[in-house]
Amino acid sequence: MNKWRLVILHTTIEKTILANLIHNEQYTRKVLPFIKGDYFSDRTERTVFEEIQKFVDKYNDLPNQNALEVELDSRKDLNEDDYKRVLSVVKELQKDDNVIFDWLVETTEDFCKDKAVYNAIVDGINIIEGKDRNRDVGSIPSILTDALAVGFDNHVGHDYLLDAESRFQYYHKVEEKIPFDLDFFNRITKGGLPPKTLNIALAGTGVGKSLFMCHVAANCLSQGRNVLYITLEMAEERIAERIDANLMNISMEDLHDLPKQMFDNQIEKIIKSTSGKLIVKEYPTASANSAHFRGLIKELAIKKSFKPDIIFIDYLNICASSRFKGATNVNSYMYIKSVAEELRGLAVETNLPIMSATQTTRSGFVSTDIGLEDTSESFGLPATADFMFALISTEELDNLNQIAVKQLKNRYNDPTMNKRFVIGIDRAKMRLFDVAPDQQNISDANQVEDSFAEPVFDRTGFGEDMDVMKDFKV
């Protein structure tokens, strides 16, 4: 048996960690940022670790045993017996040059992970038993998630010169996106929605926020994607009903009159046409936050072996915040901004795109040219979103079975390209579709001009407003 293995057998991993923290600078620089004092269950060893950590933070160097003894001697919270025990541990911390560095780092990482999970379970039990008055049961999933995420990540940033090669590879890497079945949305997003993003549709009441998300969800399912649709506004069955109408190409009214045999045949066709799954989960309004959604994703993975490729949340403003409980003494700006940040954090954590929606203000509801300033409750939402667009409906557009789209924020492409366009809408069947080029708005200088006559869109009130605005453009 190797000498370094014999050494480990006669000591504990905690003392091995402490010894190397004062004798092995390479090891200390690598692991110290990830070790916490509460990972040491023995108070004596925890006290030694705290002194090592304080010394390194203050002097940016490793303490020797004499320095630790001096620092411990100045502590006022140790009685004579505690001081003797701590001093005894310090004297046992001997240097060992035979320990394999990689093994030591890996073993330390395993130690930190195990201790983090153990502490999280203990915290969860204390919360359930009412011993922790600062946290409730809803915080347990996030506590466990943080514990399971413990690991040594030594990436400290992108070195502009040394990492040029990896940067070049990044430029030529084809990012996997989830495409739309709407041409202009693919143009403005350069092919669809990328992972780790928060995408927001802004519209007034009844304009079509849920219709838009149901259509995109149905399209993702048709592509063979796994779709998770979270609703805080309508019942699960109402969302499924809209997706039924979309995929079966049947009006909502006719759907209720469909015989059972025909309905089963339609469902069978959908099953055969896709390898994806669609899960619709309903939460009471303003009761669920990102922690609940995170827990749902893990529960679906365990119970149904289901991992979503995209998440829809209908809609953001009626989600709760995991940071602000009940919005007590918190203004709407901070509260909605917090919800948006938590959802975007969830998108990054799960490596998925999230699609949601928000309401317009009262003035935005009657406006034919919605802007970011028309976002209700919080301007912090558009500041957080990666992609945001407005859905605009007017009487003229309704008569044409069309709805206007205006880009508000776009991190995927130049938002001035195809800034405004129209798409077709079939409200009865809950479907959206591309319209002919000659019905697109080309009043924008950067719009793709492939029409022949005056666009129908420009003859609507929305188009006339755009013409008026152009006259004042410098």
Side-chain angles (χ1 to χ4, degrees):
M1 185 178 288
N2 292 338
K3 180 181 178 182
W4 62 269
R5 289 188 183 274
L6 288 171
V7 171
I8 297 301
L9 288 175
H10 290 86
T11 185
T12 64
I13 181 60
E14 288 91 340
K15 289 183 179 178
T16 302
I17 290 172
L18 294 174
N20 281 275
L21 285 176
I22 66 173
H23 293 299
N24 189 333
E25 183 172 359
Q26 182 186 5
Y27 171 80
T28 303
R29 301 291 182 192
K30 190 175 184 68
V31 307
L32 188 60
F34 306 104
I35 304 177
K36 296 181 179 180
D38 59 8
Y39 291 168
F40 294 86
S41 53
D42 182 83
R43 182 173 180 268
T44 302
E45 293 170 346
R46 184 164 62 249
T47 301
V48 175
F49 170 77
E50 290 170 352
E51 289 302 325
I52 295 173
Q53 188 178 48
K54 284 192 294 184
F55 191 96
V56 174
D57 288 344
K58 185 174 182 179
Y59 300 105
N60 194 29
D61 202 354
L62 274 60
N64 56 30
Q65 289 171 309
N66 290 334
L68 284 178
E69 291 176 16
V70 171
E71 292 296 325
L72 289 168
D73 189 53
S74 64
R75 289 185 63 142
K76 306 297 183 184
D77 59 335
L78 299 176
N79 58 39
E80 186 175 352
D81 290 338
D82 290 338
Y83 177 74
K84 289 180 179 179
R85 282 194 292 269
V86 173
L87 202 61
S88 174
V89 170
V90 171
K91 292 182 180 298
E92 292 175 5
L93 303 180
Q94 302 299 320
K95 185 178 181 180
D96 181 9
D97 295 325
N98 295 301
V99 177
I100 298 176
F101 179 80
D102 290 340
W103 175 89
L104 182 60
V105 171
E106 184 178 330
T107 303
T108 304
E109 183 173 14
D110 290 340
F111 164 79
C112 292
K113 289 180 177 179
D114 292 343
K115 287 294 185 178
V117 172
Y118 175 81
N119 291 344
I121 293 172
V122 171
D123 288 344
I125 294 172
N126 289 334
I127 291 171
I128 292 172
E129 294 179 347
K131 296 179 182 179
D132 188 335
R133 296 184 179 181
N134 297 320
R135 295 177 290 186
D136 57 22
V137 175
S139 62
I140 293 177
S142 61
I143 293 173
L144 290 172
T145 299
D146 293 341
L148 292 169
V150 168
F152 290 2
D153 180 6
N154 289 287
H155 178 70
V156 292
H158 179 84
D159 190 311
Y160 179 77
L161 297 178
L162 296 180
D163 294 334
E165 178 64 26
S166 64
R167 191 164 66 251
F168 179 83
Q169 297 297 330
Y170 170 79
Y171 294 155
H172 294 81
K173 179 182 178 181
V174 178
E175 187 175 30
E176 183 176 352
K177 297 184 176 184
I178 297 181
F180 294 89
D181 62 342
L182 300 167
D183 178 53
F184 270 91
F185 271 97
N186 282 329
R187 292 191 198 183
I188 64 178
T189 58
K190 289 188 175 179
L193 300 178
K196 301 183 180 181
T197 58
L198 177 63
N199 308 275
I200 302 294
L202 170 66
T205 302
V207 172
K209 299 186 300 294
S210 296
L211 187 154
F212 182 90
M213 288 197 288
C214 284
H215 173 86
V216 178
N219 172 56
C220 292
L221 179 62
S222 298
Q223 296 178 36
R225 310 277 184 172
N226 286 339
V227 180
L228 175 58
Y229 197 112
I230 297 171
T231 172
L232 296 93
E233 185 177 36
M234 290 185 286
E236 296 171 356
E237 295 79 9
R238 289 293 184 186
I239 297 298
E241 176 187 31
R242 291 171 173 230
I243 294 175
D244 272 339
N246 181 291
L247 291 175
M248 296 179 185
N249 196 23
I250 298 173
S251 70
M252 297 274 284
E253 184 176 346
D254 292 338
L255 187 62
H256 288 270
D257 298 327
L258 201 64
K260 180 66 164 61
Q261 184 60 47
M262 292 183 65
F263 179 81
D264 290 342
N265 291 340
Q266 290 288 344
I267 293 296
E268 190 64 30
K269 287 181 182 178
I270 295 172
I271 293 173
K272 290 180 179 179
S273 66
T274 181
S275 58
K277 293 182 180 180
L278 170 64
I279 301 292
V280 184
K281 172 62 178 175
E282 175 189 1
Y283 288 98
T285 301
S287 68
N289 56 50
S290 59
H292 295 92
F293 306 153
R294 188 178 291 109
L296 173 64
I297 293 169
K298 292 180 179 179
E299 189 176 2
L300 288 170
I302 295 170
K303 293 182 178 180
K304 290 182 174 287
S305 299
F306 175 89
K307 183 182 182 302
D309 296 308
I310 185 170
I311 301 172
F312 294 84
I313 300 175
D314 193 0
Y315 60 95
L316 187 145
N317 293 65
I318 52 178
C319 290
S321 169
S322 62
R323 287 183 281 181
F324 300 113
K325 302 298 181 184
T328 305
N329 299 324
V330 179
N331 58 51
S332 62
Y333 173 88
M334 288 300 300
Y335 193 78
I336 299 302
K337 184 175 186 290
S338 174
V339 173
E341 290 171 345
E342 291 162 17
L343 292 185
R344 192 177 188 282
L346 180 64
V348 173
E349 180 184 327
T350 56
N351 194 32
L352 300 173
I354 290 180
M355 168 70 73
S356 191
T358 187
Q359 295 271 21
T360 60
T361 58
R362 191 185 315 176
S363 60
F365 180 73
V366 296
S367 174
T368 58
D369 188 31
I370 295 175
L372 287 174
E373 70 280 1
D374 294 309
T375 306
S376 68
E377 298 187 273
S378 175
F379 199 75
L381 169 53
T384 306
D386 296 281
F387 176 49
M388 191 165 177
F389 58 92
L391 299 174
I392 305 168
S393 179
T394 66
E395 186 176 343
E396 295 92 338
L397 288 170
D398 284 342
N399 292 334
L400 296 167
N401 293 321
Q402 294 177 356
I403 190 169
V405 180
K406 178 185 175 184
Q407 291 190 68
L408 302 177
K409 180 181 181 181
N410 193 341
R411 287 177 175 165
Y412 316 140
N413 206 348
D414 183 353
T416 64
M417 299 296 292
N418 300 308
K419 188 174 184 66
R420 300 176 181 85
F421 55 92
V422 294
I423 54 178
I425 183 169
D426 186 342
R427 295 186 184 275
K429 297 180 179 179
M430 295 289 140
R431 305 188 88 177
L432 302 171
F433 53 89
D434 291 319
V435 300
D438 62 345
Q439 296 188 17
Q440 287 295 335
N441 168 36
I442 59 169
S443 60
D444 293 321
N446 292 328
Q447 189 83 6
V448 176
E449 299 193 26
D450 50 5
S451 58
F452 303 97
E454 178 189 8
V456 175
F457 187 82
D458 282 349
R459 296 199 298 270
T460 67
F462 182 85
E464 291 169 0
D465 288 345
M466 294 303 98
D467 289 336
V468 171
M469 291 179 66
K470 284 194 300 180
D471 293 337
F472 291 95
K473 192 173 182 180
V474 179

